[in-house]
Amino acid sequence: MKKNNAQWVWRLAMGVLPLYLFSFLPSRAEVKLPSFFCDNMVLQQQTECNLWGTADANKTVSINTSWDNKVYKVKAAADGKFEVKVVTPKAGGPYDITLSDGKTFTLKNVLIGEVWICAGQSNMDMQLKGYKGQPVEGATEELLNCNDEALRLLFVKRTAQLEPQYDIKGGTWRVADAESVRSFSAAAYYFGKALRNTLRVPVGLICTAYGGSACEAWMKADWLRAFPQVQQTITEEDVKARLQRCPTAIYNGQLHPLIGYTLRGAIWYQGEDNVPRYDFYADLLKAMVEGWRAEWKQGDFPFYYCQIAPYDYSLIGWEGSQYLREQQLKAETIIPNARMAVLMDAGLEYGIHPRKKRQAGERLALLALSNTYGVKGLPDFATYKDVVFEGDTAVISFDRSKEWVYFEHGTTSKNFEVAGADRVFHPATKVWTSRNKVYVQCDKVKQPAAVRYAWHDWADGDLMHDGLPVSSFRTDNWEKQPTATTANGKDYNNPQ
């Protein structure tokens, strides 16, 4: 019996020991790519596109591109990481990309075309289906006509992180159809659709947005050192408590993984969360754009952004969004290769999420098509230039206004106010246009010193040029102290 027991123990040991020893041997790692390098993706045309991933340490990886049958070979570093640039042709496809380190796999249905990053807070995040009880205008009709094999969509799931991430959370490239478009950014979709209709090439949109996110959350800590107003000591508890408002948190979770994905440019719809901190937003946005461009190493790639739409911010205990809009207007003058889409006629008085997302997307597309792609014949946004006071009349001039300015709903407007040296503003009593000038008078102000247009949180903008609205503006620079009020922690940008 003892002999049988001994034999049983010996056999068990001999069976288990090899398994035990094998568990300590290095396992073979296959070639792995970030999840956004996948079937259905779009690569930027006529450039050197970055591809990267991991493999066994010091292993040679071969990459074959079907559009030219070229084979690239790259050796993985000691930590297994590898990077390679593949040369892309003119727009077209579909193509395949085959990767192998001895074991082969293929990325299928790859298109070559135009790639754009679409970032921001809830008004970029807002899907075509809308938020609960907050629809997007025209969504039903759009879903009936949205199928497009050459429009590809990648939606990055929300994640705020204390440390930089190296892959996105969920999400793969999808072909545009009712199902994918319904759950994709409405503003970004309309932007991409307009590019497709005009350029007639494949378009890839990467939407990385987070409702309620602050501009500071999209920036690295190094970029924020120039802003002492911004808290720099960030802990895990801060991230959990403030999530999308925590400096660097969205950059770490949703932007850092994408940096290096070769693109044409970026569109941006954000600013609502920065209303209480409006006074340095232009410089903040400039620092963010400079940081993104430095990280991407693609020069001053185009950056087009939406001015926040009018809304009654008193409903969440805030005020002064017209000053944030002014900062956004200023940003256009200090950031190279950047332009702003105005939405003064596309707001919603009682809702911070306007329904008119088509206007947002198409106006961003106007900027891209005119300034990046050189399409002729498209309208432009006129901007306030200067004012001259002639007796009791203020004469306001505009730049980029060759088609002359006018009022959307008639021959006059109720959106103008006038003040004298006492700095007390009164509604204008007479307003009219002539060519590219607006003339303003007020019975209570015989010697005007300043004029303001749509200078409130909520205004239904009616000053237009060539079918596009003019930004709210003021002719004075009288100071207003920034408010530090909050919405008592209410996450108004993330109603879901």
Side-chain angles (χ1 to χ4, degrees):
M1 185 68 180
K2 289 182 179 181
K3 183 177 180 180
N4 289 340
N5 286 342
Q7 290 175 341
W8 179 84
V9 171
W10 174 253
R11 289 172 182 170
L12 179 63
M14 290 300 97
V16 172
L17 185 59
L19 297 175
Y20 177 76
L21 293 174
F22 181 76
S23 68
F24 286 91
L25 295 176
S27 59
R28 187 184 184 285
E30 298 177 4
V31 174
K32 292 185 179 179
L33 305 176
S35 57
F36 43 81
F37 292 130
C38 62
D39 294 349
N40 303 318
M41 69 177 179
V42 180
L43 296 181
Q44 180 61 41
Q45 66 170 322
Q46 295 180 291
T47 189
E48 292 184 330
C49 282
N50 299 313
L51 293 175
W52 65 90
T54 60
D56 277 335
N58 303 313
K59 189 78 171 181
T60 296
V61 179
S62 65
I63 300 99
N64 175 254
T65 51
S66 73
W67 54 82
D68 56 6
N69 288 319
K70 186 173 181 178
V71 177
Y72 302 80
K73 292 185 180 293
V74 59
K75 187 177 180 180
D79 62 0
K81 295 180 181 178
F82 69 87
E83 298 179 9
V84 66
K85 293 180 182 292
V86 299
V87 177
T88 54
K90 290 183 179 180
Y95 300 109
D96 293 338
I97 301 176
T98 301
L99 300 96
S100 177
D101 66 342
K103 185 173 182 179
T104 300
F105 71 95
T106 300
L107 305 180
K108 300 176 181 179
N109 198 25
V110 175
L111 296 182
I112 308 296
E114 294 296 300
V115 178
W116 288 80
I117 291 281
C118 315
Q121 60 180 109
S122 59
N123 277 307
M124 182 63 81
D125 180 68
M126 191 176 189
Q127 300 168 3
L128 193 70
K129 67 180 180 180
Y131 293 132
K132 290 180 172 61
Q134 301 175 69
V136 169
E137 185 178 273
T140 300
E141 294 80 3
E142 194 61 44
L143 290 172
L144 294 172
N145 298 282
C146 65
N147 287 6
D148 187 349
E149 277 286 330
L151 178 60
R152 305 290 173 86
L153 314 173
L154 174 63
F155 198 90
V156 178
K157 291 186 178 180
R158 303 168 185 164
T159 177
Q161 297 289 335
L162 189 60
E163 298 295 335
Q165 304 298 297
Y166 292 89
D167 200 356
I168 60 173
K169 183 180 179 182
T172 56
W173 285 95
R174 303 175 70 185
V175 176
D177 58 21
E179 183 180 20
S180 62
V181 168
R182 177 178 169 80
S183 58
F184 192 75
S185 162
Y189 164 74
Y190 282 114
F191 170 80
K193 178 184 177 182
L195 295 191
R196 281 277 303 121
N197 288 342
T198 301
L199 300 176
R200 302 296 181 183
V201 300
V203 171
L205 304 175
I206 303 174
C207 181
T208 177
Y210 202 132
S213 58
C215 184
E216 298 91 328
W218 293 90
M219 302 173 67
K220 291 177 68 173
D222 288 350
W223 310 342
L224 290 168
R225 287 175 183 160
F227 304 95
Q229 312 94 318
V230 179
Q231 177 188 348
Q232 282 292 294
T233 304
I234 306 300
T235 66
E236 191 70 43
E237 287 68 31
D238 290 326
V239 175
K240 291 178 180 177
R242 294 187 287 157
L243 292 174
Q244 65 274 35
R245 294 182 174 90
C246 182
T248 78
I250 309 302
Y251 168 87
N252 290 335
Q254 292 186 208
L255 193 73
H256 185 266
L258 297 166
I259 289 174
Y261 194 106
T262 308
L263 49 78
R264 173 66 70 186
I267 59 172
W268 174 255
Y269 193 163
Q270 190 277 338
E272 296 89 347
D273 188 74
N274 285 79
V275 165
R277 307 178 301 286
Y278 71 84
D279 52 318
F280 61 100
Y281 185 82
D283 292 330
L284 191 69
L285 188 63
K286 180 176 185 287
M288 187 198 81
V289 174
E290 289 175 346
W292 285 19
R293 288 171 171 169
E295 294 276 293
W296 247 281
K297 297 181 175 62
Q298 283 191 224
D300 289 345
F301 60 73
F303 183 84
Y304 303 121
Y305 61 99
C306 286
Q307 186 181 52
I308 60 172
Y311 158 68
D312 183 1
Y313 278 83
S314 69
L315 296 174
I316 58 170
W318 292 2
E319 63 175 7
S321 60
Q322 64 270 34
Y323 291 92
L324 191 284
R325 295 198 300 263
E326 181 180 55
Q327 285 282 307
Q328 291 179 310
L329 186 60
K330 175 185 175 183
E332 189 180 50
T333 68
I334 63 176
I335 304 173
N337 202 17
R339 287 291 305 276
M340 182 182 76
V342 180
L343 300 175
M344 290 301 299
D345 61 338
L348 188 63
E349 182 175 6
Y350 57 86
I352 201 167
H353 303 118
R355 297 170 180 170
K356 297 181 178 181
K357 291 298 186 287
R358 179 180 60 80
Q359 287 85 337
E362 290 183 353
R363 289 171 186 176
L364 289 168
L366 280 175
L367 296 174
L369 291 167
S370 296
N371 296 280
T372 298
Y373 298 107
V375 176
K376 305 297 183 183
L378 298 176
D380 200 359
F381 294 94
T383 57
Y384 165 73
K385 180 181 180 182
D386 57 32
V387 63
V388 175
F389 297 105
E390 299 176 351
D392 65 349
T393 305
V395 184
I396 303 167
S397 299
F398 299 86
D399 283 325
R400 302 198 299 251
S401 56
K402 65 179 181 179
E403 300 299 328
W404 304 352
V405 293
Y406 62 93
F407 296 120
E408 178 73 1
H409 306 299
T411 59
T412 190
S413 170
K414 295 182 179 180
N415 279 319
F416 287 84
E417 299 171 288
V418 184
D422 61 0
R423 301 190 177 187
V424 176
F425 281 89
H426 304 274
T429 51
K430 189 175 182 181
V431 182
W432 70 99
T433 65
S434 178
R435 296 179 180 267
N436 76 333
K437 291 181 172 59
V438 173
Y439 296 80
V440 184
Q441 295 176 345
C442 178
D443 291 344
K444 294 183 178 180
V445 184
K446 298 304 181 183
Q447 293 185 317
V451 178
R452 293 178 173 182
Y453 164 69
W455 202 251
H456 299 279
D457 286 313
W458 164 250
D460 185 9
D462 58 357
L463 179 60
M464 309 290 287
H465 169 260
D466 205 11
L468 299 173
V470 176
S471 169
S472 53
F473 62 85
R474 56 176 175 157
T475 67
D476 64 275
N477 61 356
W478 299 338
E479 292 295 325
K480 174 188 181 294
Q481 293 299 316
T483 177
T485 58
T486 69
N488 299 317
K490 181 180 179 182
D491 190 1
Y492 63 88
N493 270 307
N494 190 14
Q496 295 182 316

